[in-house]
């Protein structure tokens, strides 16, 4: 199977790329510039492509991103601190982002002769992001099969959709994913902030997986309080 991976440069998608590369299935990486407040993560995606020896393409979606306004990831809105499972994190939703990216990725896969598109959506995303849930990914796969019927046979690969971020860390560690060469933080500073939802979730995942976290955090201990409050 020749698989295109949608790679943001984050822990989840870079781990997925390394897992598929270890299985001999990785064909290319595709990333998206949708006008996110920092492009730092795209540098990590590019480094992943170089490391794994596969093509990496960045699709310019900035004009589309401007229209998808109202998210803390694209607009001048403060990124909230705290656990991912808090209502405040819904301000990080970019409407239909995954649906748009997947549609483009399917087109590229069909044009390049790939047989699958892989995305690293996981169980921890379900609370906040509707386009990360199993109902969405199943429906999207069915829709794309109709869109490409008679032209190409491309399937959607979502190995983490029913699993946790801790599982991703464990699976990524098994194939020696260089976690220090991934970027999760929504704030895009010199180091991971340690306080935003993705930083808290990242740090918690390493703890649950029993894997050493090589990440440098500006606030390395905040996650414990955030997890306790988020689970309260």
């Amino acid at each position: 199977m020749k698989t295109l991976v949608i790679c943001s440069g984050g822990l989840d998608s870079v781990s997925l790329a390394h897992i598929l590369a270890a299985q001999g299935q990785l064909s290319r990486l595709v990333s998206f510039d949708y006008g996110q407040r920092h492009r730092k993560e795209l540098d990590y995606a590019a480094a992943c492509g170089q490391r794994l020896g596969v093509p990496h393409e960045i699709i310019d979606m900035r004009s589309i991103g401007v229209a998808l306004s109202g998210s803390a990831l694209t607009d001048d809105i403060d990124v909230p601190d705290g656990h991912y499972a808090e209502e405040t994190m819904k301000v990080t939703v970019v409407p239909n982002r995954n649906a748009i990216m997947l549609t483009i990725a399917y087109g590229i896969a069909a044009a390049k002769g790939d047989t699958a598109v892989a995305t690293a959506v996981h169980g921890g995303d379900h609370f906040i992001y509707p386009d990360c849930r199993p109902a969405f990914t199943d429906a999207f796969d069915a829709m794309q099969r109709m869109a490409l019927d008679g032209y190409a046979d491309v399937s959607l690969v979502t190995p983490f959709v029913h699993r946790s971020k801790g599982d991703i860390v464990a699976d990524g560690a098994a194939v020696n994913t260089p976690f220090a060469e991934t970027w999760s933080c929504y704030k895009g500073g010199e180091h991971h902030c340690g306080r935003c939802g993705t930083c808290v979730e990242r740090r918690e995942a390493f703890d649950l997986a029993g894997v050493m976290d090589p990440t440098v955090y500006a606030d390395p201990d905040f996650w414990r309080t955030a997890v306790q409050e988020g689970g309260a």
Side-chain angles (χ1 to χ4, degrees):
M1 188 162 59
K2 296 171 61 179
T3 305
L4 176 160
V5 170
I6 297 177
C7 185
S8 68
L11 185 153
D12 307 335
S13 60
V14 171
S15 293
L16 179 56
H18 275 263
I19 290 166
L20 291 173
Q23 296 171 354
Q25 297 181 15
L26 182 66
S27 61
R28 72 193 73 252
L29 304 181
V30 173
S31 303
F32 295 89
D33 182 351
Y34 56 90
Q36 54 265 58
R37 288 168 60 174
H38 63 81
R39 300 180 78 258
K40 191 168 186 173
E41 60 187 7
L42 297 177
D43 294 335
Y44 286 87
C48 180
Q50 292 176 352
R51 189 167 57 245
L52 295 176
V54 296
H56 172 242
E57 185 172 0
I58 298 177
I59 305 299
D60 188 348
M61 274 178 45
R62 286 175 293 178
S63 60
I64 297 173
V66 169
L68 306 178
S69 59
S71 171
L73 302 192
T74 55
D75 294 2
D76 188 18
I77 300 171
D78 288 340
V79 175
D81 295 338
H83 195 273
Y84 233 47
E86 294 182 20
E87 285 288 332
T88 54
M89 293 300 166
K90 289 188 177 181
V91 74
T92 64
V93 172
V94 179
N96 245 31
R97 177 181 60 174
N98 282 353
I100 295 167
M101 292 179 180
L102 281 168
T103 298
I104 295 170
Y106 262 84
I108 294 172
K112 301 293 187 181
D114 294 330
T115 55
V117 170
T119 180
V121 296
H122 63 87
D125 291 332
H126 297 173
F127 177 76
I128 304 173
Y129 304 113
D131 56 2
C132 291
R133 297 169 187 162
F136 165 78
T137 56
D138 290 345
F140 192 92
D141 185 42
M143 180 270 289
Q144 280 296 316
R145 289 181 184 277
M146 294 299 99
L148 294 172
D149 185 37
Y151 178 78
D153 185 7
V154 181
S155 60
L156 183 60
V157 175
T158 56
F160 307 138
V161 73
H162 294 290
R163 305 181 71 206
S164 71
K165 198 178 187 80
D167 293 328
I168 297 175
V169 170
D171 289 355
V175 294
N176 298 313
T177 301
F179 296 120
E181 300 303 316
T182 66
W183 186 265
S184 299
C185 183
Y186 280 159
K187 297 185 181 181
E190 181 179 356
H191 303 298
H192 282 72
C193 73
R195 299 181 64 89
C196 70
T198 51
C199 279
V200 170
E201 185 192 38
R202 178 185 176 107
R203 182 65 189 86
E204 180 185 19
F206 278 99
D207 184 68
L208 292 172
V211 174
M212 186 190 73
D213 186 355
T215 312
V216 176
Y217 298 97
D219 190 341
D221 298 319
F222 174 78
W223 73 278
R224 295 185 185 278
T225 300
V227 168
Q228 291 173 354
E229 292 178 351

